[in-house]
């Protein structure tokens, strides 16, 4: 793996936020930069530095194709967390959901129908009470259940949650993230947000939030990357200039 070039200050800010978060003073780091500037590379470096620690890594990746699908990246992350297999049928998916939720303090009769609806699982007749909620009530209770799940995880071990490409996020995903940001200061939770410059954050700045803007690397740093990728071979000056 190529060593991190020219981002030591930014990595230091992330690591300091992580240390505070592990002590129960949850932080939020916002990484702003154009496409290809190195946002994901910085996350890789952070993960490499915390390797060996006891923590939960949660990766939520927004998609340019699902910006109008409510909670799309959160649903995909839940499917990974529940370890759904490609061949799992409805019954297997429900069993894995029930098993996971039973590990928390949730009232299953209330939350299983919420998560089943979110994850498009059919419930057997009579097994759970029907959801007699308005669309707005169901949405709010689902957001509350999702945040309850995360913060209960954070009571067991620190959580490092990354949100990639927020410029593609749907409104419901941003609303859930706003809940996490609001409640983070009292939890062992670090939220790292990445987005492009055209994204406008819909929440006010708070004292536990650290903004990072990734600018282009200096020429000497770019040359260091080129030399590493060239594997010791000489690269023509015109190519380096380009």
């Amino acid at each position: 793996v190529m060593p991190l070039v020219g981002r030591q200050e930014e990595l230091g800010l992330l690591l300091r936020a992580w240390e505070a978060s592990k002590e129960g003073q949850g932080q939020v780091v916002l990484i702003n930069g154009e496409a290809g500037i190195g946002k994901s590379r910085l996350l890789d470096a952070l993960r490499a530095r915390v390797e060996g620690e006891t923590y939960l890594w949660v990766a939520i990746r927004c998609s340019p194709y699902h910006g109008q699908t409510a909670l799309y990246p959160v649903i995909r992350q839940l499917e990974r967390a529940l370890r759904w297999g490609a061949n799992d049928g409805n019954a297997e998916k429900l069993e894995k959901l029930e098993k996971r939720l039973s590990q928390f303090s949730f009232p299953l009769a209330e939350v299983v129908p919420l998560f089943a609806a979110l994850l498009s699982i059919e419930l057997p007749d009579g097994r759970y009470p029907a959801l007699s909620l308005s669309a707005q009530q169901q949405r709010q209770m689902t957001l509350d259940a999702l945040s309850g799940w995360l913060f209960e995880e954070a009571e067991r071990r620190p959580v490092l949650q990354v949100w990639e490409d927020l410029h593609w996020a749907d409104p419901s995903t941003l609303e859930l993230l706003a809940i996490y940001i609001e409640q983070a200061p009292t939890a062992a939770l670090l939220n790292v947000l990445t987005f492009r410059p055209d994204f406008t954050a819909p929440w006010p700045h708070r004292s536990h939030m650290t903004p990072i803007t990734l600018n282009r690397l200096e020429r000497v740093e770019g040359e260091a990357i080129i030399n590493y990728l060239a594997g010791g071979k000489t690269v023509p000056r015109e190519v380096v200039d380009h």
Side-chain angles (χ1 to χ4, degrees), residues 4-240:
L4 188 68
V5 174
R7 303 292 190 206
Q8 298 307 322
E9 183 178 346
E10 292 87 348
L11 181 59
L13 289 171
L14 281 165
L15 289 169
R16 284 196 288 278
W18 176 234
E19 290 302 319
S21 298
K22 288 191 295 184
E23 297 298 321
Q25 301 168 26
Q27 303 290 304
V28 180
V29 179
L30 304 91
I31 303 176
N32 175 9
E34 61 188 67
I37 201 76
K39 299 184 293 295
S40 295
R41 178 68 187 87
L42 187 56
L43 294 178
D44 291 342
L46 171 63
R47 194 169 189 183
R49 287 292 295 271
V50 302
E51 185 179 359
E53 297 185 22
T54 300
Y55 73 100
L56 175 65
W57 172 271
V58 180
I60 298 176
R61 301 180 181 93
C62 303
S63 163
Y65 307 109
H66 299 92
Q68 299 306 315
T69 304
L71 295 171
Y72 174 83
V74 178
I75 291 170
R76 296 284 84 80
Q77 190 278 325
L78 281 176
E79 292 172 349
R80 293 191 297 271
L82 292 168
R83 300 180 189 275
W84 284 1
N87 298 320
D88 285 355
N90 192 83
E92 290 86 358
K93 290 179 178 180
L94 177 58
E95 182 182 357
K96 289 180 179 180
L97 175 65
E98 291 173 324
K99 183 176 179 181
R100 189 63 181 271
L101 291 176
S102 68
Q103 299 169 4
F104 299 91
S105 61
F106 293 127
L108 291 184
E110 292 180 16
V111 296
V112 170
L114 288 171
F115 281 108
L118 178 67
L119 297 167
S120 303
I121 301 174
E122 291 184 23
L123 294 176
D125 288 343
R127 188 150 161 185
Y128 290 95
L131 287 173
S132 54
L133 303 167
S134 69
Q136 179 58 33
Q137 287 173 322
Q138 183 169 332
R139 183 165 167 276
Q140 189 57 54
M141 288 183 68
T142 300
L143 294 178
D144 290 344
L146 285 166
S147 61
W149 181 333
L150 181 72
F151 285 105
E152 202 162 325
E153 291 275 23
E155 291 174 7
R156 301 176 179 184
R157 69 266 200 236
V159 176
L160 203 172
Q161 182 165 249
V162 301
W163 303 73
E164 292 200 68
D165 297 322
L166 275 180
H167 45 275
W168 290 324
D170 62 276
S172 295
T173 293
L174 293 176
E175 188 174 347
L176 177 64
L177 177 53
I179 295 172
Y180 293 158
I181 290 173
E182 182 72 26
Q183 299 182 16
T186 58
L189 168 65
L190 172 60
N191 279 291
V192 182
L193 289 42
T194 76
F195 49 86
R196 295 180 187 171
D198 57 356
F199 174 75
T200 302
W203 43 77
H205 182 75
R206 303 275 302 279
S207 60
H208 64 289
M209 300 170 74
T210 301
I212 294 176
T213 298
L214 290 187
N215 297 309
R216 297 195 176 196
L217 295 172
E218 300 293 335
R219 181 184 176 94
V220 65
E221 296 162 344
E223 289 181 355
I225 292 175
I226 292 168
N227 290 333
Y228 180 88
L229 293 174
K233 296 174 182 163
T234 301
V235 179
R237 173 54 54 185
E238 315 84 77
V239 176
V240 174

